[in-house]
Amino acid sequence: MTKHPKEQLSAYLDDELTQDERREIEEHLETCESCQALLEDMVDNKYELVQTFGHIQAPMDFEVRVMQSIGAEEERISAGKGRIFALLLALLTLGVFYLLTGAVIGKLIHGWSKLMITLIYAASHFILSVPVLTGGTILLSLAILVTSLISLKRLLQASAS
């Protein structure tokens, strides 16, 4: 083995290698002092880790808190399923309502839009037929345009500084 098996040393230490891989690592370790030192460090770290975890004790009510947390999570999941069911039921209700009344609602919307177009057309002709209203509309439009330009100028100046 010409390259150092640094990645495989952890698997060697945990006994996760096949017999052939294990034999290759052992042959390499007989001749390579840097890999031997690295393996010794890994063994020391593993021992310290086991010792550290051996000293850690769970709180007295740890199991109860975990079980309560699991129960709360299950309740939240079931509440989410209830919301999804309610949403699907509402969509189904709207779908059935549309199928039953879709043609009527479509005709109402079509008629309403024709009425609005007619009213806008009539209002524009009325405004254009009365000179005072035409002048007032033009003056109001100019005032809105000037106010918008002033506001835009102030906004740009404020954002630049």
Side-chain angles (χ1 to χ4, degrees), residues 37-92:
L38 182 59
L39 184 64
E40 288 175 16
D41 287 343
M42 293 173 86
V43 168
D44 291 342
N45 286 341
K46 185 175 180 179
Y47 175 76
E48 288 177 17
L49 185 66
V50 168
Q51 292 300 317
T52 301
F53 276 112
H55 294 298
I56 296 175
Q57 292 183 358
M60 296 299 285
D61 62 342
F62 181 71
E63 185 177 349
V64 173
R65 291 189 346 216
V66 168
M67 296 307 287
Q68 287 174 346
S69 175
I70 291 171
E73 184 68 24
E74 288 174 352
E75 288 176 13
R76 200 168 61 212
I77 289 172
S78 64
K81 288 179 183 177
R83 288 185 192 127
I84 291 173
F85 178 72
L87 177 64
L88 290 176
L89 186 62
L91 288 174
L92 180 66

Side-chain angles (χ1 to χ4, degrees), residues 27-40:
E27 288 174 3
H28 179 79
L29 286 171
E30 290 175 3
T31 60
C32 183
E33 291 181 14
S34 65
C35 288
Q36 288 174 5
L38 182 59
L39 184 64
E40 288 175 16

